[in-house]
Every structure is written in structure tokens, then in C-alpha cells.
Amino acid sequence: MDKAQESSGRRVGVAVDFSPCSDLALKWAVDNAVRDGDTLILVVILPEQFYEHGEMQLWETTGSPLIPASQFTDPVVMKKYGVKPEDATLDIVKNAENQKKEVEIVMKVYWGDAREKLCEAIGNIPLDFLAVGNRGLGTLKRALMGSVSNYVVNHASCPVVVVKSSDRHP
């Protein structure tokens, strides 16, 4: 059993794609949802790709192992998973570590369709709660592309909060 599953607190997930709207969801989760004893799990979904070799083939179905926050800034580790964290996201994580001393912060990476993989992650990790950002797509774009947050809200097996982005937020 890994450290996140041994924790006596909740496992709070945040869907992170290193965009401003996912940073808002992460900040909201840190400020409003995470409490001492919880594990904060950044769930990153990358586009599905063909990997000829390496560890990514092993993780394609189950996702990566849990990556501790101390490794988020290690370029070798992040390259291994194909992740390029943005400074804004790393700042939120660092502030969370400073504010919430009793919270473990980890990342788990999945590959594939964000809608389906987020719902799978809820059961596989498992998560007690998930926060997702919302880009605020217009009606036409949402109809053509589909809304990840809408799909997850309707198919998730745990509570989901959608943190809506607006022009008032950077």
C-alpha cells in the first residue's frame, strides 16, 4: 500500500493541465477543501501517444506511480513522465506546502482522453473528492468539443466541484 492510501485523511484530487483554469481549481482546493491529514493529488492527463519503449508503456493503463511534490521541480523526473509543470502551478504547490504542514502532495499522470481518465482515476487512486477547472467554453465549442468538467460531473463516483474561470481572474 502506498503512502497516500495509508493516510488517515481524505484523498483530494485536482485535475491539473497547467493552464490558468486548472491553477484556479488547485488554488481553490488548497484554500477551501484540503485539511490537515489529507493527501492532495494532482491528476495530470496527457494525450495518448505511442511509446516504443520505456516505463510509460507500463503505466499506460494504470497511470504513473504517485510522484512526491519534492520531485515536481526535478527536470529528469518530469521528463520521464512527459510532464512540464508551469511555474504558477509549482508556486501554488509550494504555498500549499508552507500553509498546510500536515498535507501530503503528490502527482499521478495518466495518458488518454481526459474525460474518461479522470473518471478512472477517481476509482483507481481512489479519490474522495475531485476539483476541476472550467474554461468556460461557449455553447458551440462545448457542443463540438465536449466539456471535460461536464462529463466528469455526470460520470464521477465521488463529489466533484467545478471551479469556473472568468475574465475577472488572471
Side-chain angles (χ1 to χ4, degrees):
M1 191 176 279
D2 60 46
K3 199 171 181 182
Q5 292 173 329
E6 290 174 5
S7 174
S8 60
R10 301 168 307 152
R11 288 173 298 274
V12 177
V14 179
V16 174
D17 63 3
F18 309 108
S19 68
C21 61
S22 78
D23 287 343
L24 282 174
L26 178 58
K27 184 162 177 20
W28 183 91
V30 168
D31 293 344
N32 299 291
V34 177
R35 57 185 181 224
D36 284 349
D38 286 351
T39 301
L40 176 62
I41 303 170
L42 282 62
V43 182
V44 177
I45 314 295
L46 298 176
E48 194 168 17
Q49 298 177 8
F50 177 73
Y51 301 102
E52 292 182 17
H53 63 289
E55 296 169 329
M56 283 190 224
Q57 279 186 316
L58 299 173
W59 304 322
E60 193 170 11
T61 305
T62 61
S64 72
L66 293 174
I67 306 162
S70 62
Q71 296 181 1
F72 292 1
T73 57
D74 183 331
V76 173
V77 173
M78 291 295 98
K79 184 177 180 180
K80 175 177 167 179
Y81 298 104
V83 176
K84 295 177 185 168
E86 294 289 327
D87 289 340
T89 305
L90 295 173
D91 288 344
I92 296 167
V93 169
K94 185 175 181 179
N95 288 337
E97 288 178 318
N98 292 336
Q99 292 173 15
K100 314 249 183 200
K101 302 284 186 202
E102 302 297 320
V103 173
E104 179 184 11
I105 303 174
V106 296
M107 180 186 299
K108 185 156 179 85
V109 182
Y110 289 90
W111 293 268
D113 179 83
R115 294 171 290 202
E116 294 171 7
K117 289 297 181 177
L118 283 170
C119 290
E120 286 177 28
I122 290 167
N124 291 343
I125 292 174
L127 295 176
D128 296 303
F129 177 85
L130 179 67
V132 296
N134 179 307
R135 292 183 294 174
L137 296 177
T139 308
L140 181 59
K141 282 187 181 178
R142 189 171 42 252
L144 293 173
M145 297 170 43
S147 166
V148 171
S149 57
N150 186 53
Y151 183 92
V152 173
V153 164
N154 287 300
H155 293 90
S157 59
C158 74
V160 176
V161 67
V162 177
V163 180
K164 189 162 173 84
S165 178
S166 73
D167 293 336
R168 292 181 303 241
H169 296 291

